Amino acid sequence: MSFDLVLFGGTGDLSWRKLMPALFQAFKHGTLPEGARIIGVGRDDLSDERYRALILSRFEEVDLAKRPSADEFERFSSLLEFVSMDLSKPEHYAYLKDKLAQRPADTVVMYLATAPTLFTTIVEQLAAAGLNTPQTRVVLEKPLGHDLASNRAINHSVAQVFSEKQVFRIDHYLGKPAVQNLFALRFGNALFEPLWRREHIANIQITIAEELGVEKRGGFYETTGALRDMVQNHALQLLCAIGMEPPINSHADAIRDEKLKVLRSLKPWTAETLAQDVIRGQYAAGAIGGAAVPGYREELGVNPASNTETFVALRTEISNWRWAGVPFYIRTGKRLAGRDARIVVNFRPTPHAIFNSQMGDANRLVINLQPKDGLELHLLAQAQDKRQNSNILAPVQLDLDFDKRFGGERVGAYERLLLDVIDGRLNLFVRSDEQEEAWRWVEPMLTYWKADAQGPRPYAAGTWGPSATSAMIARDGFCWAEEC
């Protein structure tokens, strides 16, 4: 199958940092279909050779394991071409059309790795040039808008040009092997499903923590913040994967229908819950790995009086028969105590204690997403206390490391998702109504913060965020996994 991948934003950060390494890995693994052509699009005046040289130089900055050898890059670079375009000029799209017509492909993928403000312009110009054929697929990167209204406007413009089955709204978290195993854990095994409900689960915690600050992306982060950057998409997608009902089959719409039901079942916000159950923070100066780091307001490109949040923690519930009354806690932030993405499912204690143990919350399932990838099942086992000659319960755990088990067989998130786009598989992509429902639920928080003169709570870099986060979960009688 021949295909063309047209990469708008072909010289941008996302392209060289994520997309080109993923495409190379697919090429190296032999999973990239033959007859491939990758066309970078940008404002720069570059020849094909200069573009290849630029990409080669950028490969020096990616992980060592993802760098090609000289021979590998020579073969991979034969797929790369470049087109200089001003995205507002119709004649440049006409030139792109002529270039694509030189070698008709079975599938054409238009990947919009640009600012979301350009999405409408690009899709309208593609249609005007006749480049929205039935063989065309369009990939939209996050964030898709900055609120519900802008998201709807983009989706409306795209729907005028492409059918829903041609649109791939990408959330790279859904391509992570660990998230794939979350679906496999729930729907490929009979072990946990009978327990996956309010009668057996006390609470669920979703953590997406980063040690890094905003680095050189201060200007971008000032207009985004942690809520838009992480909660509206990644965290809510994880919540849906945990909370959804089993789909009738593995088809894309069956899965996305169930995720949509979860989003529609999230408990609506009130003035009281917005004040008590949502914590926003901003990192101050502190230490990471023993090295001093600056506060967010001292970062390059950041307003010295900024109220942009770098941390969000919240409590919510899914108001349906399965989950009624079970709190779901989400927290995400930058400059935290560690790089750690995980889901912790805390089971209820036994209804009647017959052993001498105070560890009532010891039964938990930990789904590690990064940097570790795997499952931990925490249990209690009987141990003999020789000093007291009595039986006591001691914590034990079963630990499954997927990287050790599967090793080189694992496929990275962007590699997986790019191959799915080329093959037309929509299972791991977000539908428009699903995305709009997520924005609808998030928007009251944005509105509340606009009127909140207090601003984000400061927290020292290298900690787990504002102390109010612990107080929020303690009101329910629980604690974060690392605090228990």
mmCIF file of all heavy atoms in Angstrom, residues 103-121:
data_model
loop_
_atom_site.group_PDB
_atom_site.id
_atom_site.type_symbol
_atom_site.label_atom_id
_atom_site.label_comp_id
_atom_site.label_asym_id
_atom_site.label_seq_id
_atom_site.Cartn_x
_atom_site.Cartn_y
_atom_site.Cartn_z
ATOM 1 N N ARG A 103 2.800 11.342 -7.948
ATOM 2 C CA ARG A 103 2.843 9.932 -7.599
ATOM 3 C C ARG A 103 1.605 9.611 -6.775
ATOM 4 O O ARG A 103 1.639 9.658 -5.546
ATOM 5 C CB ARG A 103 4.108 9.602 -6.807
ATOM 6 C CG ARG A 103 4.361 8.100 -6.667
ATOM 7 C CD ARG A 103 4.998 7.757 -5.343
ATOM 8 N NE ARG A 103 4.110 8.009 -4.195
ATOM 9 C CZ ARG A 103 4.326 7.536 -2.971
ATOM 10 N NH1 ARG A 103 5.399 6.803 -2.725
ATOM 11 N NH2 ARG A 103 3.492 7.793 -1.970
ATOM 12 N N PRO A 104 0.482 9.307 -7.446
ATOM 13 C CA PRO A 104 -0.754 9.060 -6.698
ATOM 14 C C PRO A 104 -0.576 7.940 -5.674
ATOM 15 O O PRO A 104 -0.027 6.885 -5.979
ATOM 16 C CB PRO A 104 -1.751 8.660 -7.796
ATOM 17 C CG PRO A 104 -1.190 9.257 -9.048
ATOM 18 C CD PRO A 104 0.298 9.185 -8.894
ATOM 19 N N ALA A 105 -1.045 8.192 -4.445
ATOM 20 C CA ALA A 105 -0.914 7.222 -3.362
ATOM 21 C C ALA A 105 -2.283 6.677 -2.991
ATOM 22 O O ALA A 105 -3.313 7.332 -3.171
ATOM 23 C CB ALA A 105 -0.252 7.882 -2.149
ATOM 24 N N ASP A 106 -2.282 5.468 -2.428
ATOM 25 C CA ASP A 106 -3.542 4.861 -1.980
ATOM 26 C C ASP A 106 -4.155 5.650 -0.824
ATOM 27 O O ASP A 106 -5.372 5.756 -0.709
ATOM 28 C CB ASP A 106 -3.297 3.413 -1.537
ATOM 29 C CG ASP A 106 -2.802 2.543 -2.678
ATOM 30 O OD1 ASP A 106 -3.288 2.728 -3.811
ATOM 31 O OD2 ASP A 106 -1.935 1.685 -2.429
ATOM 32 N N THR A 107 -3.290 6.178 0.034
ATOM 33 C CA THR A 107 -3.748 6.937 1.208
ATOM 34 C C THR A 107 -2.879 8.172 1.378
ATOM 35 O O THR A 107 -1.657 8.104 1.196
ATOM 36 C CB THR A 107 -3.640 6.080 2.494
ATOM 37 O OG1 THR A 107 -4.450 4.913 2.345
ATOM 38 C CG2 THR A 107 -4.101 6.864 3.721
ATOM 39 N N VAL A 108 -3.520 9.286 1.717
ATOM 40 C CA VAL A 108 -2.793 10.522 2.015
ATOM 41 C C VAL A 108 -3.170 10.953 3.431
ATOM 42 O O VAL A 108 -4.344 11.131 3.749
ATOM 43 C CB VAL A 108 -3.126 11.653 1.016
ATOM 44 C CG1 VAL A 108 -2.383 12.936 1.405
ATOM 45 C CG2 VAL A 108 -2.764 11.238 -0.406
ATOM 46 N N VAL A 109 -2.165 11.106 4.285
ATOM 47 C CA VAL A 109 -2.375 11.545 5.664
ATOM 48 C C VAL A 109 -1.895 12.983 5.794
ATOM 49 O O VAL A 109 -0.730 13.280 5.521
ATOM 50 C CB VAL A 109 -1.613 10.649 6.659
ATOM 51 C CG1 VAL A 109 -1.750 11.195 8.090
ATOM 52 C CG2 VAL A 109 -2.116 9.219 6.581
ATOM 53 N N MET A 110 -2.792 13.875 6.194
ATOM 54 C CA MET A 110 -2.444 15.266 6.467
ATOM 55 C C MET A 110 -2.302 15.405 7.986
ATOM 56 O O MET A 110 -3.294 15.368 8.705
ATOM 57 C CB MET A 110 -3.531 16.206 5.954
ATOM 58 C CG MET A 110 -3.840 16.079 4.466
ATOM 59 S SD MET A 110 -2.484 16.721 3.455
ATOM 60 C CE MET A 110 -3.199 16.589 1.799
ATOM 61 N N TYR A 111 -1.078 15.534 8.470
ATOM 62 C CA TYR A 111 -0.828 15.609 9.916
ATOM 63 C C TYR A 111 -0.613 17.078 10.284
ATOM 64 O O TYR A 111 0.362 17.693 9.873
ATOM 65 C CB TYR A 111 0.404 14.783 10.281
ATOM 66 C CG TYR A 111 0.489 14.444 11.758
ATOM 67 C CD1 TYR A 111 0.471 13.119 12.186
ATOM 68 C CD2 TYR A 111 0.598 15.437 12.728
ATOM 69 C CE1 TYR A 111 0.549 12.794 13.537
ATOM 70 C CE2 TYR A 111 0.664 15.133 14.072
ATOM 71 C CZ TYR A 111 0.635 13.816 14.469
ATOM 72 O OH TYR A 111 0.713 13.502 15.799
ATOM 73 N N LEU A 112 -1.526 17.619 11.106
ATOM 74 C CA LEU A 112 -1.468 19.039 11.461
ATOM 75 C C LEU A 112 -0.745 19.201 12.798
ATOM 76 O O LEU A 112 -1.357 19.284 13.855
ATOM 77 C CB LEU A 112 -2.879 19.633 11.536
ATOM 78 C CG LEU A 112 -3.494 20.103 10.198
ATOM 79 C CD1 LEU A 112 -3.494 19.001 9.152
ATOM 80 C CD2 LEU A 112 -4.899 20.619 10.422
ATOM 81 N N ALA A 113 0.582 19.236 12.729
ATOM 82 C CA ALA A 113 1.413 19.452 13.922
ATOM 83 C C ALA A 113 1.729 20.941 14.027
ATOM 84 O O ALA A 113 2.888 21.359 14.097
ATOM 85 C CB ALA A 113 2.686 18.627 13.841
ATOM 86 N N THR A 114 0.673 21.751 14.035
ATOM 87 C CA THR A 114 0.799 23.206 14.078
ATOM 88 C C THR A 114 0.005 23.741 15.266
ATOM 89 O O THR A 114 -0.638 22.980 15.990
ATOM 90 C CB THR A 114 0.233 23.835 12.791
ATOM 91 O OG1 THR A 114 -1.189 23.607 12.744
ATOM 92 C CG2 THR A 114 0.872 23.243 11.549
ATOM 93 N N ALA A 115 0.026 25.054 15.430
ATOM 94 C CA ALA A 115 -0.832 25.674 16.442
ATOM 95 C C ALA A 115 -2.291 25.432 16.068
ATOM 96 O O ALA A 115 -2.652 25.487 14.885
ATOM 97 C CB ALA A 115 -0.546 27.167 16.523
ATOM 98 N N PRO A 116 -3.168 25.152 17.038
ATOM 99 C CA PRO A 116 -4.581 24.902 16.737
ATOM 100 C C PRO A 116 -5.274 26.061 16.020
ATOM 101 O O PRO A 116 -6.252 25.848 15.315
ATOM 102 C CB PRO A 116 -5.203 24.668 18.122
ATOM 103 C CG PRO A 116 -4.078 24.235 18.983
ATOM 104 C CD PRO A 116 -2.870 24.957 18.474
ATOM 105 N N THR A 117 -4.739 27.268 16.177
ATOM 106 C CA THR A 117 -5.332 28.426 15.502
ATOM 107 C C THR A 117 -5.233 28.316 13.983
ATOM 108 O O THR A 117 -5.959 29.010 13.266
ATOM 109 C CB THR A 117 -4.642 29.723 15.961
ATOM 110 O OG1 THR A 117 -3.218 29.578 15.806
ATOM 111 C CG2 THR A 117 -4.962 30.016 17.421
ATOM 112 N N LEU A 118 -4.358 27.436 13.508
ATOM 113 C CA LEU A 118 -4.191 27.259 12.055
ATOM 114 C C LEU A 118 -5.029 26.119 11.501
ATOM 115 O O LEU A 118 -5.111 25.964 10.269
ATOM 116 C CB LEU A 118 -2.713 27.004 11.719
ATOM 117 C CG LEU A 118 -1.743 28.157 11.983
ATOM 118 C CD1 LEU A 118 -0.311 27.702 11.766
ATOM 119 C CD2 LEU A 118 -2.058 29.343 11.070
ATOM 120 N N PHE A 119 -5.659 25.317 12.369
ATOM 121 C CA PHE A 119 -6.376 24.137 11.901
ATOM 122 C C PHE A 119 -7.470 24.498 10.907
ATOM 123 O O PHE A 119 -7.602 23.876 9.839
ATOM 124 C CB PHE A 119 -6.995 23.370 13.079
ATOM 125 C CG PHE A 119 -6.004 22.641 13.940
ATOM 126 C CD1 PHE A 119 -6.413 21.990 15.093
ATOM 127 C CD2 PHE A 119 -4.653 22.598 13.614
ATOM 128 C CE1 PHE A 119 -5.527 21.316 15.901
ATOM 129 C CE2 PHE A 119 -3.734 21.928 14.411
ATOM 130 C CZ PHE A 119 -4.179 21.290 15.561
ATOM 131 N N THR A 120 -8.286 25.482 11.249
ATOM 132 C CA THR A 120 -9.398 25.856 10.371
ATOM 133 C C THR A 120 -8.895 26.335 9.025
ATOM 134 O O THR A 120 -9.415 25.937 7.974
ATOM 135 C CB THR A 120 -10.251 26.946 11.047
ATOM 136 O OG1 THR A 120 -10.832 26.411 12.242
ATOM 137 C CG2 THR A 120 -11.365 27.409 10.117
ATOM 138 N N THR A 121 -7.877 27.189 9.036
ATOM 139 C CA THR A 121 -7.304 27.684 7.772
ATOM 140 C C THR A 121 -6.809 26.543 6.907
ATOM 141 O O THR A 121 -7.079 26.489 5.699
ATOM 142 C CB THR A 121 -6.142 28.648 8.071
ATOM 143 O OG1 THR A 121 -6.635 29.786 8.775
ATOM 144 C CG2 THR A 121 -5.469 29.112 6.786
#
